[in-house]
Amino acid sequence: MSRRAITQAELNAAPRITPTGYAEEAYQARRSPMAVGPAGLPIPSARATYRTTVDGPLLVQIARRAYAEWRAAQLPQLWTDAVAARLLADLRERFPAADMEVLKRYGLAAPQDRVVVDMTEALYEKPVFLTLPAVIELPAGAFRYRWREQGQGAPIPEAVEPYFATGVAVRRAEQPDFMKVVGWPSQFKLQNKRWPTWREIEAAWPRIAEWLAEQRGRSCAR
């Protein structure tokens, strides 16, 4: 199944749901309530047909949770903590404590508990803020690191570059996918004259499938 974006003309031509249709979907939802998974969200059966009025908001929630957990798996907390510790060590080398004590006497140094990394070279990327494992005295002002040459600030240590490159790759994959997945059932209906089943949604969007499979598995294990 292609994931091309739906056009405005196709959207305008899409079959509209009548008030009776909305009422029927709501009635069927009350008759067949979904089990709630460990994450606190209703978990649809793979065989169930997608209902736009009931399942539309649910798909948004599922996609948001699935992509958030995927993102966390790509950038695990242990890796984040290790990067923060490496940056703290670099800052201590750049700004020796004895020098900071001198600056502090004149109000030119201040305690900091986080650091910012400028991601200017990455399209539409916001700066990354990392909490340091300890407070450190730094020169007063806006000290920051930069990810690549075009950013502002001091270059990051080479050892932590893969962490920020992975973060950019994850966000670049996640953002367009999220927007496409929530509109995909309507696109499917335009092409097939029916709403997809959840199995078909999962087949088209593996990260949704992985998250739902994990939720179903944990539900059965309880």
Side-chain angles (χ1 to χ4, degrees):
M1 178 61 60
S2 172
R3 297 183 183 177
R4 68 176 180 81
I6 186 172
T7 66
Q8 186 61 48
E10 289 174 326
L11 184 61
N12 292 338
R16 305 301 181 186
I17 299 179
T18 66
T20 301
Y22 281 106
E24 177 62 21
E25 286 195 353
Y27 172 69
Q28 292 299 331
R30 289 194 298 271
R31 287 189 60 193
S32 305
M34 288 178 274
V36 175
L41 293 179
I43 303 301
S45 166
R47 298 188 300 272
T49 297
Y50 176 90
R51 300 160 298 179
T52 183
T53 56
V54 176
D55 295 342
L58 177 59
L59 179 57
V60 172
Q61 291 180 294
I62 288 174
R64 184 176 290 120
R65 189 68 64 87
Y67 279 94
E69 292 189 11
W70 173 72
R71 185 193 322 126
Q74 307 309 305
L75 297 167
Q77 189 61 46
L78 285 176
W79 194 10
T80 300
D81 292 344
V83 169
R86 179 64 184 85
L87 292 181
L88 177 62
D90 182 73
L91 289 170
R92 284 173 170 162
E93 291 179 7
R94 289 175 181 273
F95 306 106
D99 294 348
M100 293 302 98
E101 281 298 320
V102 174
L103 293 179
K104 188 176 179 180
R105 294 175 195 167
Y106 300 97
L108 299 177
Q112 303 289 337
D113 63 357
R114 67 175 185 169
V115 67
V116 60
V117 181
D118 191 304
M119 308 294 289
T120 299
E121 185 177 277
L123 186 62
Y124 304 128
E125 284 293 327
K126 296 180 180 179
V128 173
F129 294 87
L130 288 177
T131 300
L132 297 170
V135 176
I136 183 173
E137 294 284 342
L138 295 177
F143 175 82
R144 62 173 55 199
Y145 286 103
R146 69 173 185 268
W147 177 51
R148 294 285 172 87
E149 292 303 319
Q150 295 178 15
Q152 298 180 356
I156 59 173
E158 184 177 352
V160 303
E161 201 282 340
Y163 174 87
F164 295 98
T166 298
V168 169
V170 166
R171 285 185 288 275
R172 286 180 176 177
E174 175 187 6
Q175 292 167 357
D177 254 22
F178 181 83
M179 297 304 295
K180 291 175 184 176
V181 69
V182 297
W184 188 84
S186 293
Q187 183 175 337
F188 181 98
K189 186 173 185 182
L190 283 171
Q191 297 173 347
N192 298 276
K193 310 305 178 187
R194 64 176 177 84
W195 292 108
T197 63
W198 277 90
R199 178 177 286 111
E200 289 168 320
I201 294 174
E202 294 172 44
W205 302 96
R207 291 191 185 110
I208 299 295
E210 291 171 6
W211 189 83
L212 286 173
E214 188 268 346
Q215 288 291 297
R216 291 169 183 143
R218 289 173 59 190
S219 296
C220 292
R222 289 189 300 176

